[in-house]
Amino acid sequence: QVQLVESGGGLVQAGGSLRLSCVASVNILSFNTMGWYRQAPGKSRELVATISRIGSTNYLDSVKGRFTISRDNAKNTVYLQMDSLKPDDTAVYYCNVRRLAAAYWGQGTQITVSS
C-alpha cells in the first residue's frame, strides 16, 4: 500500500511563495511519474506538474516559469516550489504518483492566495 503525505499548504498573499512536499511510504524510484494536481472550487482537477523517474518535467502552461517540481530520491519526497503566486492558483493541491497502471493520491492540501 502506497501512502502519500502532503504538507506546506496555507494562506499567502499574491506574489508570495510556498513549497509543497509529498512524502511517499515507499521508494519513489518505483514510480514512473510523480506529480501535482489541483482542484479549484467548481472546477475539474487539473495537472499542474509532473516529474519522471529520470527527471523529465512537464508543467501546466499557466504555471510555467513560476512553479518548479523536483524530487529527492533519498527522502522519497517530491516538491513543488510555487513562486509569484496568483489568486487563480487557489485550489486544493494533490500529490499523485503512478506505477504501471496504478495511480495513488495524497489527501490534498489547501492553497489560498489572497489578492
Side-chain angles (χ1 to χ4, degrees):
Q1 183 72 12
V2 176
Q3 293 184 328
L4 304 172
V5 179
E6 300 145 341
S7 61
L11 173 64
V12 64
Q13 289 188 330
S17 297
L18 284 173
R19 188 176 80 156
L20 301 182
S21 300
C22 173
V23 181
S25 60
V26 299
N27 189 336
I28 64 172
L29 289 173
S30 68
F31 302 129
N32 300 102
T33 61
M34 301 185 71
W36 295 90
Y37 287 69
R38 68 186 182 187
Q39 187 166 18
K43 295 187 178 180
S44 300
R45 191 171 295 189
E46 63 180 354
L47 175 65
V48 176
T50 60
I51 186 166
S52 72
R53 184 187 295 123
I54 62 172
S56 299
T57 58
N58 182 53
Y59 295 94
L60 179 68
D61 283 347
S62 63
V63 308
K64 286 180 180 178
R66 300 189 297 121
F67 291 11
T68 303
I69 189 169
S70 62
R71 57 191 292 162
D72 185 332
N73 296 331
K75 296 182 178 180
N76 291 325
T77 301
V78 63
Y79 302 98
L80 185 67
Q81 177 66 41
M82 303 183 292
D83 299 317
S84 302
L85 282 160
K86 304 176 180 179
D88 285 349
D89 295 319
T90 295
V92 178
Y93 284 69
Y94 297 90
C95 180
N96 169 270
V97 299
R98 297 179 184 273
R99 179 169 56 201
L100 300 178
Y104 304 90
W105 295 90
Q107 79 281 2
T109 185
Q110 176 71 45
I111 302 295
T112 301
V113 184
S114 63
S115 57

